[in-house]
Amino acid sequence: TVWAYAAANRCLPLLFADCSRVISDSLAQDPARWGVEARAQLHQWQLKLFLERGAEAQQYLLSNSQRQLCCDAMQAQGTQVTISRLQRSVADSLATVRYGFKEEYLEPRTGYSLDLALPSSRVAVEVDGPSHFLLPDGRGVRKPNGPTLLKRRLLAAAGWRVISVPFYEWDGFATANERHTYLQGLLG
């Protein structure tokens, strides 16, 4: 539930105070009852507090060892990636436009795996397939889902410029030249 509030970009101090205490006690008593996915979500909640809320949220942070346990879970999830054909296509085109992007770069501060990253410039290119979006609304507009929005916000708060390449835009290009021009425009 605290992850859902983080994804929805909501901060409820009284709820977070109670949750922080209960979660901290639970992790201290039996960390094994928290699976990898749950600990990764706790890490994202802690990142939201630390990166987006600053000093006012310090009181809701878990202990250093508990935060590390959650961060480790997040990083473990980041190492379990599958590179899609869409991502491969974007990576191949990107390589002809700008040299130096690393694929599936594990961002150390957040624990997120970035689809394509230029760490020296802190530029991340996220290749967003259909699972990153809600179903189209009545006008056909696709909006990013909660996990995608949270990742973008947290990476931006950690100092990254996040560029999204949505599948429905990428699939609309007929030629390699169109794709290269598109990427050059995104990169500025």
Side-chain angles (χ1 to χ4, degrees), residues 5-6 9 22 26 36 40 46-47 49 67 74 80 86 110-111 120-121 126 131 147-148 150 176 180 185:
Y5 281 98
N9 203 17
V22 169
S26 176
V36 172
Q46 292 289 285
L47 280 174
L49 294 175
R67 285 198 318 269
M74 180 78 173
Q80 303 169 3
L86 172 65
T110 63
S120 61
S121 301
E126 286 294 297
S131 65
T148 299
L150 180 61
H180 297 160

Side-chain angles (χ1 to χ4, degrees), residues 7-162:
N9 203 17
R10 300 289 181 252
C11 187
L12 303 172
L14 293 176
L15 174 68
F16 283 180
D18 287 343
C19 288
S20 182
R21 187 182 69 257
V22 169
I23 291 167
S24 181
D25 290 347
S26 176
L27 282 170
Q29 290 172 7
D30 185 11
R33 73 186 279 203
W34 292 83
V36 172
E37 184 176 355
R39 284 180 287 148
Q41 288 182 338
L42 288 177
H43 175 68
Q44 292 167 327
W45 170 56
Q46 292 289 285
L47 280 174
K48 186 234 182 332
L49 294 175
F50 182 75
L51 294 173
E52 293 185 338
R53 303 302 293 188
E56 72 179 77
Q58 298 301 305
Q59 60 190 321
Y60 310 124
L61 293 178
L62 300 172
S63 70
N64 287 339
S65 63
Q66 291 172 337
R67 285 198 318 269
Q68 188 61 54
L69 181 72
C70 295
C71 182
D72 291 347
M74 180 78 173
Q75 289 179 343
Q77 280 191 328
T79 61
Q80 303 169 3
V81 297
T82 302
I83 298 173
S84 67
R85 285 194 313 268
L86 172 65
Q87 184 174 328
R88 172 64 37 229
S89 174
V90 173
D92 290 346
S93 291
L94 188 59
T96 65
V97 172
R98 176 98 36 101
Y99 176 77
F101 275 87
K102 296 180 180 183
E103 200 161 5
E104 293 305 332
Y105 174 76
L106 189 60
E107 205 284 323
R109 187 170 182 195
T110 63
Y112 277 113
S113 178
L114 309 180
D115 292 341
L116 299 155
L118 192 57
S120 61
S121 301
R122 299 196 61 79
V123 174
V125 175
E126 286 294 297
V127 181
D128 293 332
S131 65
H132 291 268
F133 297 92
L134 302 173
L135 293 175
D137 63 17
R139 298 171 304 173
V141 176
R142 292 180 175 268
K143 293 183 180 175
N145 61 23
T148 299
L149 289 173
L150 180 61
K151 181 177 183 179
R152 290 178 187 175
R153 278 198 344 262
L154 293 176
L155 287 172
W160 286 84
R161 178 176 166 229
V162 181

